[in-house]
């Protein structure tokens, strides 16, 4: 399983998972094998609202892979809330995990999700 924390820079301009850019552990690459059962736990360690999903296109939150979401922009994780999702890794390829709240991925809240 993977643990991902939503974090924000003090000025809220930079958003990330686990660590800010340049810090160890920033937006870690997640690697799994096709058919694996994958559990992702997220904690909102920031002050904004966040939601999680695996997508095929990191610039388009509507490309979310069914069954991979934790909350959604209409019902996000509030500060200090946590969530968890378990799904089966699908076809091999490069996917991305993002915050599905509009604008957050482009501010840096995205990482690679590799299915081998």
């Amino acid at each position: 399983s993977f643990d991902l924390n939503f974090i924000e820079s003090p000025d809220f301009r930079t958003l990330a998972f686990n660590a800010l850019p340049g810090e160890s552990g920033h937006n870690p690459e997640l690697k799994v094998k096709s058919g694996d059962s994958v559990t992702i736990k997220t904690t909102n360690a920031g002050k904004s609202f966040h939601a999680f999903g695996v997508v095929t296109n990191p610039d388009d939150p509507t490309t979310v892979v069914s069954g991979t979401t934790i909350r959604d922009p209409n019902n996000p994780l509030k500060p200090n809330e946590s969530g968890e999702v378990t799904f089966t890794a699908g076809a091999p390829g490069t996917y991305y995990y993002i915050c599905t709240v509009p604008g957050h991925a482009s501010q840096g809240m995205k990482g690679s999700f590799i299915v081998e």
Side-chain angles (χ1 to χ4, degrees):
S1 81
F2 300 100
D3 291 305
L4 296 171
N5 295 321
F6 295 99
I7 62 165
E8 303 144 4
S9 62
D11 64 4
F12 295 108
R13 290 174 192 266
T14 304
L15 307 178
F17 288 99
N18 291 6
L20 291 171
E23 297 175 352
S24 174
H26 169 69
N27 292 356
E29 180 179 270
L30 308 185
K31 275 193 177 172
V32 300
K33 297 210 175 329
S34 180
D36 280 359
S37 176
V38 179
T39 298
I40 294 177
K41 298 174 184 169
T42 61
T43 300
N44 185 352
K47 294 181 170 62
S48 185
F49 291 163
H50 299 296
F52 178 88
V54 174
V55 295
T56 55
N57 176 353
D59 301 317
D60 183 358
T62 67
T63 64
V64 69
V65 177
S66 180
T68 66
T69 58
I70 299 172
R71 303 287 187 95
D72 63 61
N74 298 318
N75 180 28
L77 289 171
K78 296 176 183 67
N80 299 315
E81 285 188 335
S82 297
E84 182 177 315
V85 64
T86 300
F87 58 92
T88 301
T94 300
Y95 302 83
Y96 302 87
Y97 62 88
I98 67 168
C99 177
T100 55
V101 172
H104 285 193
S106 62
Q107 281 180 269
M109 233 168 221
K110 62 184 167 190
S112 298
F113 183 81
I114 312 291
V115 180
E116 299 178 322

